[in-house]
Amino acid sequence: MNLPFTIKFEKRVEDIPKWLPAATSIGSVLIAFIVSGIILKIIGGQPLLVLKFFYEATFGSWATFSDTIVKATPLILVGLACAVAFKMKLWNIGAEGQFYIGAFAASLVVLIPMVSPDSPKIVVIGLMMLMGMLGGAIWGFFPGYLKARFQVNEIITTLMLNYVAVLWNNFWIFDKWSDGGFQMTPTFEKNAWLARVTDYAREYSAFIDEGGGLAKFLTSIGLDRISGMTLHVGVAFGIVAAVFMWWIFDRSRWGYEIKLIGDNPKAARYAGLNITRNIVLVMMVSGALAGLAGMSEITGVVHRLQERISPGYGFTGIIVAWLAKLNPFAVIIVAILFGALIVAGRELQPSGLASMLQGIILFMVISSDVLLRYKVKLVRTQTAVEAA
Amino acid sequence: MNLEIILHAGLATGTILLFAAIGEIFAERAGILNLGVEGMMLLGAMAGFSTSLATNNAWLGLVTAVLAGGVLSLAHGLVTIHFQADQVVSGLSLTFLGTGLALVFGEGLTGQTPPLIPSFDIPGLAAIPFIGPVFFENHSLLVYVGYLFTPLAWYYINRTRPGMHLRAVGEKPSAADTMGINVYRLRYFYVFVGGCLAGLAGATISLAVSPGWYSDQTTSGQGWIAVGLVIFAQWDPLKAALGGYLFGALRRGILDLQGPALLLGMTNPLYINSNFSFFLKMTPYILTILALVLGSRAAMKKRLGAPAALGVPYIRGERGL
């Protein structure tokens, strides 16, 4: 068959227009939704109903939006963890394991206990944050060291350590700290809980008169059910971490080194950069961020150490980082979208739908990258010109 | 703790790793790193299982599994070969996609019992003492296929003309191109072969060695272990098969440690507290890491390594490998 035109890829020589990366990301997500809808239709589902449900369950009201942000919180931190590693072309696929070990290490503060149970909240939470980050950093250190010292492929080691981390947690949950034989520890004391909107709302509800002006105002903007909001302060950790990572990437010398090593290891070596040390360091920072996510999840949401604290946050973080093109602020926005996907995914049938959608989105994103490197042109072929 | 039983089980579960790892060797020898093995395996396991269930024919299931893995791998081929996307990220997304598709289409398959690939003794050979019961008794057909397939794969890669082309495309695609070899076509072909073998590995689980559909627990990371095995085996099918069998046997042997009340004359801690089995379950993953460390050190010493063009997209007419 002779088409009247051919598609031609032309290498970009000039700079990429500023809007293009964002446009390709958004376009990819839209196409991924459409493709998933088609697959859903094939297996006999109703894509539009699912989409409507998706919207209502995630952004439909302040209460559901709060749920979405709660799920987005660990994703922001884990997304940042992946972004910092990927900047250096270190493929840390182990954020999931670092998340679990972070949660484990943070729980130690309460479960051993490391501080007396009636310590002020700030001490307990502060120590838990430190322990969570330390735990994650240690879990990132092993693959980093093996990579730096023996050139052991970090993709496989980080991945294997994910399985080890989950089993490690399970041993302690089942063997040492089981709450009456269940696969969870006893609930933490309140001084190990991150501040939640719902707790404050209860505390101050006395100030809001029933039927008074303030109550009417809150109702008018749909905030009357604020007492049910589980939004916790962990999201602030994520935002602070994003600003901090932005500063490292864009303003610090170390960030420049990371990028240089990632883009051109040879030049970095000639420039005298210590690649070995940076590999270990970046893996530890990456692990620490993922560990903090684990800490935020157990102190902000479940309030104890238990099995299955993550529905695959560590893996979703990979997609979040990539879709955000490793930009810390974009990570926040993408994390919210994927938080929504998790919220809706819990109730969507069949259960693998969210995972499939994630895979399709990531595929569309990396495919669309070709548009950043090449200009796609339609060229009229010779026969078409002659015919005209 | 019976050596015969442990080795027998090692050969059976090792066959899963063997197919997946040799498939990955084909793809990587052609210069394409495909980290989507886990996803392709799971999709293969699901496709084989459900087809066998629907058609009441295990052979059709096997064919579907192979094709499912192969077709999924073509997505990776398109994105990495034509769009020159990063092979690591594309492979990862293939795992997500394969896992997601398998879970969506595999909904409700748990607990069903489709016809399986038959197991049988090899007449004559099974009578040899020790060797017979370990190698030739009551194994699935696929295990025997593995015995034959491994040396054939080695011979194909190292001793035949198409095998030489395969290696050329993975080591120096520009030179291969000048010789008139179609680099793009060969890379697509071997990515497809790798996908088919990953699908076969999946069916080896769900239709033969440990039959059933347990959603994403069906593969439980074996695809990733296979990817690690390729590095340990230095891209050699014989070593990959050996590694797979050894791995399978070690895994079974360690699990069997839970059985006896006494171990080397001492009380067995695993017998008293079953929670220690969590540490036993870690061993395959820790073993993989150890194998990788050993493999990487050997590679550094002998200056052996990955195919030179592994992970590097080939762009015709541009400078590069």
Side-chain angles (χ1 to χ4, degrees), chain B residues 230-264:
Chain B
V230 171
I231 300 169
F232 173 70
Q234 303 288 323
W235 293 268
D236 177 347
L238 297 182
K239 284 187 198 158
L242 205 64
Y245 292 144
L246 198 67
F247 202 88
L250 273 174
R251 197 167 174 172
R252 175 56 188 258
I254 291 167
L255 280 181
D256 280 4
L257 283 177
Q258 285 177 91
L262 288 176
L263 210 60
L264 305 169

PDB file of all heavy atoms in Angstrom, chain B residues 230-264:
ATOM      1  N   VAL B 230      21.047 -14.544  35.112  1.00  0.00           N
ATOM      2  CA  VAL B 230      21.725 -14.292  33.836  1.00  0.00           C
ATOM      3  C   VAL B 230      23.097 -13.659  34.072  1.00  0.00           C
ATOM      4  O   VAL B 230      24.097 -14.048  33.456  1.00  0.00           O
ATOM      5  CB  VAL B 230      20.874 -13.374  32.941  1.00  0.00           C
ATOM      6  CG1 VAL B 230      21.651 -12.924  31.710  1.00  0.00           C
ATOM      7  CG2 VAL B 230      19.609 -14.076  32.526  1.00  0.00           C
ATOM      8  N   ILE B 231      23.140 -12.715  35.018  1.00  0.00           N
ATOM      9  CA  ILE B 231      24.414 -12.060  35.310  1.00  0.00           C
ATOM     10  C   ILE B 231      25.364 -13.056  35.969  1.00  0.00           C
ATOM     11  O   ILE B 231      26.532 -13.163  35.606  1.00  0.00           O
ATOM     12  CB  ILE B 231      24.182 -10.841  36.228  1.00  0.00           C
ATOM     13  CG1 ILE B 231      23.244  -9.852  35.540  1.00  0.00           C
ATOM     14  CG2 ILE B 231      25.500 -10.183  36.590  1.00  0.00           C
ATOM     15  CD1 ILE B 231      22.743  -8.746  36.437  1.00  0.00           C
ATOM     16  N   PHE B 232      24.817 -13.829  36.929  1.00  0.00           N
ATOM     17  CA  PHE B 232      25.619 -14.857  37.597  1.00  0.00           C
ATOM     18  C   PHE B 232      26.181 -15.844  36.576  1.00  0.00           C
ATOM     19  O   PHE B 232      27.332 -16.267  36.665  1.00  0.00           O
ATOM     20  CB  PHE B 232      24.741 -15.580  38.615  1.00  0.00           C
ATOM     21  CG  PHE B 232      25.394 -16.772  39.244  1.00  0.00           C
ATOM     22  CD1 PHE B 232      26.451 -16.611  40.128  1.00  0.00           C
ATOM     23  CD2 PHE B 232      24.948 -18.054  38.953  1.00  0.00           C
ATOM     24  CE1 PHE B 232      27.055 -17.705  40.711  1.00  0.00           C
ATOM     25  CE2 PHE B 232      25.551 -19.156  39.540  1.00  0.00           C
ATOM     26  CZ  PHE B 232      26.605 -18.986  40.419  1.00  0.00           C
ATOM     27  N   ALA B 233      25.374 -16.189  35.583  1.00  0.00           N
ATOM     28  CA  ALA B 233      25.775 -17.197  34.590  1.00  0.00           C
ATOM     29  C   ALA B 233      26.641 -16.623  33.476  1.00  0.00           C
ATOM     30  O   ALA B 233      27.036 -17.349  32.571  1.00  0.00           O
ATOM     31  CB  ALA B 233      24.531 -17.842  33.989  1.00  0.00           C
ATOM     32  N   GLN B 234      26.943 -15.334  33.568  1.00  0.00           N
ATOM     33  CA  GLN B 234      27.779 -14.702  32.532  1.00  0.00           C
ATOM     34  C   GLN B 234      27.220 -14.922  31.124  1.00  0.00           C
ATOM     35  O   GLN B 234      27.958 -15.193  30.191  1.00  0.00           O
ATOM     36  CB  GLN B 234      29.217 -15.230  32.608  1.00  0.00           C
ATOM     37  CG  GLN B 234      29.877 -15.037  33.963  1.00  0.00           C
ATOM     38  CD  GLN B 234      30.206 -13.573  34.205  1.00  0.00           C
ATOM     39  OE1 GLN B 234      30.592 -12.871  33.286  1.00  0.00           O
ATOM     40  NE2 GLN B 234      30.022 -13.110  35.411  1.00  0.00           N
ATOM     41  N   TRP B 235      25.925 -14.843  30.985  1.00  0.00           N
ATOM     42  CA  TRP B 235      25.250 -14.909  29.695  1.00  0.00           C
ATOM     43  C   TRP B 235      25.498 -16.246  28.974  1.00  0.00           C
ATOM     44  O   TRP B 235      25.536 -16.309  27.760  1.00  0.00           O
ATOM     45  CB  TRP B 235      25.653 -13.723  28.804  1.00  0.00           C
ATOM     46  CG  TRP B 235      25.150 -12.452  29.382  1.00  0.00           C
ATOM     47  CD1 TRP B 235      23.948 -11.864  29.071  1.00  0.00           C
ATOM     48  CD2 TRP B 235      25.753 -11.625  30.379  1.00  0.00           C
ATOM     49  NE1 TRP B 235      23.784 -10.732  29.825  1.00  0.00           N
ATOM     50  CE2 TRP B 235      24.867 -10.546  30.626  1.00  0.00           C
ATOM     51  CE3 TRP B 235      26.942 -11.686  31.092  1.00  0.00           C
ATOM     52  CZ2 TRP B 235      25.150  -9.541  31.549  1.00  0.00           C
ATOM     53  CZ3 TRP B 235      27.228 -10.696  32.015  1.00  0.00           C
ATOM     54  CH2 TRP B 235      26.344  -9.645  32.233  1.00  0.00           C
ATOM     55  N   ASP B 236      25.678 -17.311  29.762  1.00  0.00           N
ATOM     56  CA  ASP B 236      25.928 -18.638  29.207  1.00  0.00           C
ATOM     57  C   ASP B 236      24.769 -19.565  29.583  1.00  0.00           C
ATOM     58  O   ASP B 236      24.507 -19.771  30.768  1.00  0.00           O
ATOM     59  CB  ASP B 236      27.254 -19.166  29.794  1.00  0.00           C
ATOM     60  CG  ASP B 236      27.571 -20.579  29.318  1.00  0.00           C
ATOM     61  OD1 ASP B 236      26.670 -21.244  28.756  1.00  0.00           O
ATOM     62  OD2 ASP B 236      28.716 -21.014  29.518  1.00  0.00           O
ATOM     63  N   PRO B 237      24.045 -20.121  28.595  1.00  0.00           N
ATOM     64  CA  PRO B 237      22.876 -20.958  28.891  1.00  0.00           C
ATOM     65  C   PRO B 237      23.212 -22.153  29.783  1.00  0.00           C
ATOM     66  O   PRO B 237      22.414 -22.512  30.656  1.00  0.00           O
ATOM     67  CB  PRO B 237      22.421 -21.444  27.521  1.00  0.00           C
ATOM     68  CG  PRO B 237      22.964 -20.474  26.561  1.00  0.00           C
ATOM     69  CD  PRO B 237      24.235 -19.938  27.156  1.00  0.00           C
ATOM     70  N   LEU B 238      24.370 -22.789  29.579  1.00  0.00           N
ATOM     71  CA  LEU B 238      24.717 -23.956  30.391  1.00  0.00           C
ATOM     72  C   LEU B 238      24.817 -23.570  31.863  1.00  0.00           C
ATOM     73  O   LEU B 238      24.269 -24.230  32.739  1.00  0.00           O
ATOM     74  CB  LEU B 238      26.041 -24.568  29.925  1.00  0.00           C
ATOM     75  CG  LEU B 238      26.064 -25.121  28.508  1.00  0.00           C
ATOM     76  CD1 LEU B 238      27.423 -25.735  28.204  1.00  0.00           C
ATOM     77  CD2 LEU B 238      24.961 -26.155  28.302  1.00  0.00           C
ATOM     78  N   LYS B 239      25.542 -22.469  32.117  1.00  0.00           N
ATOM     79  CA  LYS B 239      25.683 -22.029  33.513  1.00  0.00           C
ATOM     80  C   LYS B 239      24.341 -21.580  34.082  1.00  0.00           C
ATOM     81  O   LYS B 239      24.079 -21.765  35.270  1.00  0.00           O
ATOM     82  CB  LYS B 239      26.685 -20.867  33.588  1.00  0.00           C
ATOM     83  CG  LYS B 239      28.127 -21.304  33.467  1.00  0.00           C
ATOM     84  CD  LYS B 239      29.040 -20.116  33.733  1.00  0.00           C
ATOM     85  CE  LYS B 239      30.437 -20.374  33.219  1.00  0.00           C
ATOM     86  NZ  LYS B 239      31.165 -19.116  32.987  1.00  0.00           N
ATOM     87  N   ALA B 240      23.518 -20.982  33.228  1.00  0.00           N
ATOM     88  CA  ALA B 240      22.206 -20.529  33.704  1.00  0.00           C
ATOM     89  C   ALA B 240      21.370 -21.718  34.151  1.00  0.00           C
ATOM     90  O   ALA B 240      20.727 -21.671  35.201  1.00  0.00           O
ATOM     91  CB  ALA B 240      21.491 -19.746  32.606  1.00  0.00           C
ATOM     92  N   ALA B 241      21.399 -22.793  33.352  1.00  0.00           N
ATOM     93  CA  ALA B 241      20.625 -23.983  33.708  1.00  0.00           C
ATOM     94  C   ALA B 241      21.153 -24.585  34.999  1.00  0.00           C
ATOM     95  O   ALA B 241      20.393 -24.883  35.920  1.00  0.00           O
ATOM     96  CB  ALA B 241      20.702 -25.001  32.575  1.00  0.00           C
ATOM     97  N   LEU B 242      22.465 -24.708  35.065  1.00  0.00           N
ATOM     98  CA  LEU B 242      23.096 -25.267  36.260  1.00  0.00           C
ATOM     99  C   LEU B 242      22.725 -24.432  37.483  1.00  0.00           C
ATOM    100  O   LEU B 242      22.337 -24.957  38.530  1.00  0.00           O
ATOM    101  CB  LEU B 242      24.610 -25.276  36.060  1.00  0.00           C
ATOM    102  CG  LEU B 242      25.383 -26.305  36.862  1.00  0.00           C
ATOM    103  CD1 LEU B 242      24.975 -27.701  36.443  1.00  0.00           C
ATOM    104  CD2 LEU B 242      26.883 -26.101  36.669  1.00  0.00           C
ATOM    105  N   GLY B 243      22.846 -23.108  37.325  1.00  0.00           N
ATOM    106  CA  GLY B 243      22.505 -22.194  38.417  1.00  0.00           C
ATOM    107  C   GLY B 243      21.055 -22.345  38.830  1.00  0.00           C
ATOM    108  O   GLY B 243      20.731 -22.361  40.011  1.00  0.00           O
ATOM    109  N   GLY B 244      20.175 -22.469  37.839  1.00  0.00           N
ATOM    110  CA  GLY B 244      18.748 -22.616  38.119  1.00  0.00           C
ATOM    111  C   GLY B 244      18.467 -23.872  38.931  1.00  0.00           C
ATOM    112  O   GLY B 244      17.767 -23.836  39.941  1.00  0.00           O
ATOM    113  N   TYR B 245      19.042 -24.992  38.482  1.00  0.00           N
ATOM    114  CA  TYR B 245      18.842 -26.271  39.195  1.00  0.00           C
ATOM    115  C   TYR B 245      19.383 -26.188  40.620  1.00  0.00           C
ATOM    116  O   TYR B 245      18.751 -26.608  41.579  1.00  0.00           O
ATOM    117  CB  TYR B 245      19.546 -27.407  38.449  1.00  0.00           C
ATOM    118  CG  TYR B 245      18.935 -27.761  37.115  1.00  0.00           C
ATOM    119  CD1 TYR B 245      19.728 -28.146  36.041  1.00  0.00           C
ATOM    120  CD2 TYR B 245      17.553 -27.732  36.930  1.00  0.00           C
ATOM    121  CE1 TYR B 245      19.177 -28.486  34.818  1.00  0.00           C
ATOM    122  CE2 TYR B 245      16.990 -28.061  35.712  1.00  0.00           C
ATOM    123  CZ  TYR B 245      17.805 -28.440  34.648  1.00  0.00           C
ATOM    124  OH  TYR B 245      17.254 -28.768  33.456  1.00  0.00           O
ATOM    125  N   LEU B 246      20.592 -25.645  40.724  1.00  0.00           N
ATOM    126  CA  LEU B 246      21.249 -25.542  42.031  1.00  0.00           C
ATOM    127  C   LEU B 246      20.392 -24.704  42.978  1.00  0.00           C
ATOM    128  O   LEU B 246      20.168 -25.041  44.139  1.00  0.00           O
ATOM    129  CB  LEU B 246      22.608 -24.877  41.830  1.00  0.00           C
ATOM    130  CG  LEU B 246      23.614 -25.044  42.944  1.00  0.00           C
ATOM    131  CD1 LEU B 246      24.029 -26.497  43.046  1.00  0.00           C
ATOM    132  CD2 LEU B 246      24.842 -24.169  42.686  1.00  0.00           C
ATOM    133  N   PHE B 247      19.910 -23.596  42.406  1.00  0.00           N
ATOM    134  CA  PHE B 247      19.080 -22.674  43.166  1.00  0.00           C
ATOM    135  C   PHE B 247      17.820 -23.372  43.654  1.00  0.00           C
ATOM    136  O   PHE B 247      17.443 -23.266  44.818  1.00  0.00           O
ATOM    137  CB  PHE B 247      18.717 -21.510  42.250  1.00  0.00           C
ATOM    138  CG  PHE B 247      18.337 -20.295  42.980  1.00  0.00           C
ATOM    139  CD1 PHE B 247      19.300 -19.391  43.352  1.00  0.00           C
ATOM    140  CD2 PHE B 247      17.022 -20.051  43.305  1.00  0.00           C
ATOM    141  CE1 PHE B 247      18.952 -18.258  44.041  1.00  0.00           C
ATOM    142  CE2 PHE B 247      16.673 -18.926  43.996  1.00  0.00           C
ATOM    143  CZ  PHE B 247      17.642 -18.031  44.361  1.00  0.00           C
ATOM    144  N   GLY B 248      17.189 -24.105  42.738  1.00  0.00           N
ATOM    145  CA  GLY B 248      15.973 -24.834  43.094  1.00  0.00           C
ATOM    146  C   GLY B 248      16.230 -25.826  44.219  1.00  0.00           C
ATOM    147  O   GLY B 248      15.461 -25.932  45.170  1.00  0.00           O
ATOM    148  N   ALA B 249      17.363 -26.557  44.106  1.00  0.00           N
ATOM    149  CA  ALA B 249      17.678 -27.584  45.095  1.00  0.00           C
ATOM    150  C   ALA B 249      17.979 -26.953  46.453  1.00  0.00           C
ATOM    151  O   ALA B 249      17.481 -27.409  47.486  1.00  0.00           O
ATOM    152  CB  ALA B 249      18.863 -28.418  44.624  1.00  0.00           C
ATOM    153  N   LEU B 250      18.767 -25.865  46.435  1.00  0.00           N
ATOM    154  CA  LEU B 250      19.098 -25.182  47.688  1.00  0.00           C
ATOM    155  C   LEU B 250      17.833 -24.711  48.392  1.00  0.00           C
ATOM    156  O   LEU B 250      17.670 -24.852  49.594  1.00  0.00           O
ATOM    157  CB  LEU B 250      19.985 -23.976  47.405  1.00  0.00           C
ATOM    158  CG  LEU B 250      21.484 -24.241  47.350  1.00  0.00           C
ATOM    159  CD1 LEU B 250      22.223 -22.989  46.905  1.00  0.00           C
ATOM    160  CD2 LEU B 250      21.981 -24.677  48.724  1.00  0.00           C
ATOM    161  N   ARG B 251      16.938 -24.145  47.580  1.00  0.00           N
ATOM    162  CA  ARG B 251      15.704 -23.601  48.120  1.00  0.00           C
ATOM    163  C   ARG B 251      14.889 -24.685  48.809  1.00  0.00           C
ATOM    164  O   ARG B 251      14.402 -24.509  49.913  1.00  0.00           O
ATOM    165  CB  ARG B 251      14.930 -23.042  46.934  1.00  0.00           C
ATOM    166  CG  ARG B 251      13.871 -22.113  47.295  1.00  0.00           C
ATOM    167  CD  ARG B 251      13.424 -21.426  46.053  1.00  0.00           C
ATOM    168  NE  ARG B 251      12.281 -20.602  46.356  1.00  0.00           N
ATOM    169  CZ  ARG B 251      11.756 -19.757  45.507  1.00  0.00           C
ATOM    170  NH1 ARG B 251      12.271 -19.630  44.314  1.00  0.00           N
ATOM    171  NH2 ARG B 251      10.732 -19.039  45.840  1.00  0.00           N
ATOM    172  N   ARG B 252      14.781 -25.826  48.113  1.00  0.00           N
ATOM    173  CA  ARG B 252      14.017 -26.930  48.673  1.00  0.00           C
ATOM    174  C   ARG B 252      14.715 -27.466  49.922  1.00  0.00           C
ATOM    175  O   ARG B 252      14.088 -27.719  50.950  1.00  0.00           O
ATOM    176  CB  ARG B 252      13.871 -28.030  47.625  1.00  0.00           C
ATOM    177  CG  ARG B 252      13.193 -29.293  48.128  1.00  0.00           C
ATOM    178  CD  ARG B 252      11.824 -28.942  48.697  1.00  0.00           C
ATOM    179  NE  ARG B 252      11.242 -30.113  49.364  1.00  0.00           N
ATOM    180  CZ  ARG B 252      10.302 -30.865  48.786  1.00  0.00           C
ATOM    181  NH1 ARG B 252       9.848 -30.563  47.593  1.00  0.00           N
ATOM    182  NH2 ARG B 252       9.832 -31.900  49.427  1.00  0.00           N
ATOM    183  N   GLY B 253      16.039 -27.621  49.831  1.00  0.00           N
ATOM    184  CA  GLY B 253      16.800 -28.154  50.960  1.00  0.00           C
ATOM    185  C   GLY B 253      16.622 -27.299  52.198  1.00  0.00           C
ATOM    186  O   GLY B 253      16.403 -27.805  53.298  1.00  0.00           O
ATOM    187  N   ILE B 254      16.648 -25.989  52.005  1.00  0.00           N
ATOM    188  CA  ILE B 254      16.508 -25.084  53.141  1.00  0.00           C
ATOM    189  C   ILE B 254      15.103 -25.165  53.733  1.00  0.00           C
ATOM    190  O   ILE B 254      14.931 -25.169  54.948  1.00  0.00           O
ATOM    191  CB  ILE B 254      16.870 -23.646  52.715  1.00  0.00           C
ATOM    192  CG1 ILE B 254      18.369 -23.573  52.446  1.00  0.00           C
ATOM    193  CG2 ILE B 254      16.479 -22.657  53.772  1.00  0.00           C
ATOM    194  CD1 ILE B 254      18.801 -22.332  51.741  1.00  0.00           C
ATOM    195  N   LEU B 255      14.107 -25.271  52.852  1.00  0.00           N
ATOM    196  CA  LEU B 255      12.736 -25.401  53.362  1.00  0.00           C
ATOM    197  C   LEU B 255      12.568 -26.686  54.153  1.00  0.00           C
ATOM    198  O   LEU B 255      11.871 -26.723  55.160  1.00  0.00           O
ATOM    199  CB  LEU B 255      11.737 -25.369  52.207  1.00  0.00           C
ATOM    200  CG  LEU B 255      11.402 -23.993  51.657  1.00  0.00           C
ATOM    201  CD1 LEU B 255      10.385 -24.111  50.544  1.00  0.00           C
ATOM    202  CD2 LEU B 255      10.878 -23.085  52.767  1.00  0.00           C
ATOM    203  N   ASP B 256      13.270 -27.754  53.699  1.00  0.00           N
ATOM    204  CA  ASP B 256      13.144 -29.043  54.375  1.00  0.00           C
ATOM    205  C   ASP B 256      13.778 -29.031  55.753  1.00  0.00           C
ATOM    206  O   ASP B 256      13.569 -29.958  56.534  1.00  0.00           O
ATOM    207  CB  ASP B 256      13.779 -30.151  53.517  1.00  0.00           C
ATOM    208  CG  ASP B 256      12.841 -30.578  52.406  1.00  0.00           C
ATOM    209  OD1 ASP B 256      11.775 -29.963  52.282  1.00  0.00           O
ATOM    210  OD2 ASP B 256      13.188 -31.515  51.663  1.00  0.00           O
ATOM    211  N   LEU B 257      14.582 -28.003  56.030  1.00  0.00           N
ATOM    212  CA  LEU B 257      15.216 -27.926  57.347  1.00  0.00           C
ATOM    213  C   LEU B 257      14.174 -27.853  58.462  1.00  0.00           C
ATOM    214  O   LEU B 257      14.463 -28.146  59.606  1.00  0.00           O
ATOM    215  CB  LEU B 257      16.104 -26.673  57.426  1.00  0.00           C
ATOM    216  CG  LEU B 257      17.444 -26.747  56.723  1.00  0.00           C
ATOM    217  CD1 LEU B 257      18.157 -25.415  56.837  1.00  0.00           C
ATOM    218  CD2 LEU B 257      18.300 -27.850  57.314  1.00  0.00           C
ATOM    219  N   GLN B 258      12.966 -27.432  58.108  1.00  0.00           N
ATOM    220  CA  GLN B 258      11.932 -27.277  59.139  1.00  0.00           C
ATOM    221  C   GLN B 258      11.463 -28.604  59.681  1.00  0.00           C
ATOM    222  O   GLN B 258      10.943 -28.661  60.778  1.00  0.00           O
ATOM    223  CB  GLN B 258      10.716 -26.561  58.542  1.00  0.00           C
ATOM    224  CG  GLN B 258      10.929 -25.109  58.343  1.00  0.00           C
ATOM    225  CD  GLN B 258       9.710 -24.488  57.674  1.00  0.00           C
ATOM    226  OE1 GLN B 258       8.805 -24.022  58.315  1.00  0.00           O
ATOM    227  NE2 GLN B 258       9.716 -24.492  56.355  1.00  0.00           N
ATOM    228  N   GLY B 259      11.631 -29.677  58.884  1.00  0.00           N
ATOM    229  CA  GLY B 259      11.047 -30.967  59.211  1.00  0.00           C
ATOM    230  C   GLY B 259      11.541 -31.622  60.495  1.00  0.00           C
ATOM    231  O   GLY B 259      10.767 -31.832  61.435  1.00  0.00           O
ATOM    232  N   PRO B 260      12.839 -31.957  60.546  1.00  0.00           N
ATOM    233  CA  PRO B 260      13.300 -32.796  61.651  1.00  0.00           C
ATOM    234  C   PRO B 260      13.359 -32.056  62.988  1.00  0.00           C
ATOM    235  O   PRO B 260      13.653 -30.867  63.031  1.00  0.00           O
ATOM    236  CB  PRO B 260      14.716 -33.202  61.207  1.00  0.00           C
ATOM    237  CG  PRO B 260      15.138 -32.160  60.234  1.00  0.00           C
ATOM    238  CD  PRO B 260      13.912 -31.602  59.613  1.00  0.00           C
ATOM    239  N   ALA B 261      13.097 -32.804  64.058  1.00  0.00           N
ATOM    240  CA  ALA B 261      13.143 -32.217  65.396  1.00  0.00           C
ATOM    241  C   ALA B 261      14.580 -32.026  65.851  1.00  0.00           C
ATOM    242  O   ALA B 261      14.883 -31.123  66.620  1.00  0.00           O
ATOM    243  CB  ALA B 261      12.405 -33.110  66.383  1.00  0.00           C
ATOM    244  N   LEU B 262      15.478 -32.885  65.355  1.00  0.00           N
ATOM    245  CA  LEU B 262      16.889 -32.783  65.699  1.00  0.00           C
ATOM    246  C   LEU B 262      17.689 -32.440  64.446  1.00  0.00           C
ATOM    247  O   LEU B 262      17.407 -32.935  63.360  1.00  0.00           O
ATOM    248  CB  LEU B 262      17.409 -34.102  66.282  1.00  0.00           C
ATOM    249  CG  LEU B 262      16.951 -34.462  67.694  1.00  0.00           C
ATOM    250  CD1 LEU B 262      17.463 -35.818  68.082  1.00  0.00           C
ATOM    251  CD2 LEU B 262      17.419 -33.402  68.693  1.00  0.00           C
ATOM    252  N   LEU B 263      18.668 -31.572  64.602  1.00  0.00           N
ATOM    253  CA  LEU B 263      19.506 -31.199  63.476  1.00  0.00           C
ATOM    254  C   LEU B 263      20.958 -31.313  63.923  1.00  0.00           C
ATOM    255  O   LEU B 263      21.367 -30.636  64.863  1.00  0.00           O
ATOM    256  CB  LEU B 263      19.184 -29.763  63.064  1.00  0.00           C
ATOM    257  CG  LEU B 263      19.357 -29.393  61.606  1.00  0.00           C
ATOM    258  CD1 LEU B 263      18.452 -30.244  60.731  1.00  0.00           C
ATOM    259  CD2 LEU B 263      19.050 -27.929  61.410  1.00  0.00           C
ATOM    260  N   LEU B 264      21.730 -32.213  63.309  1.00  0.00           N
ATOM    261  CA  LEU B 264      23.124 -32.446  63.697  1.00  0.00           C
ATOM    262  C   LEU B 264      23.225 -32.725  65.200  1.00  0.00           C
ATOM    263  O   LEU B 264      24.120 -32.230  65.884  1.00  0.00           O
ATOM    264  CB  LEU B 264      24.010 -31.240  63.350  1.00  0.00           C
ATOM    265  CG  LEU B 264      23.995 -30.762  61.903  1.00  0.00           C
ATOM    266  CD1 LEU B 264      24.683 -29.417  61.775  1.00  0.00           C
ATOM    267  CD2 LEU B 264      24.634 -31.787  60.990  1.00  0.00           C
TER     268      LEU B 264
END
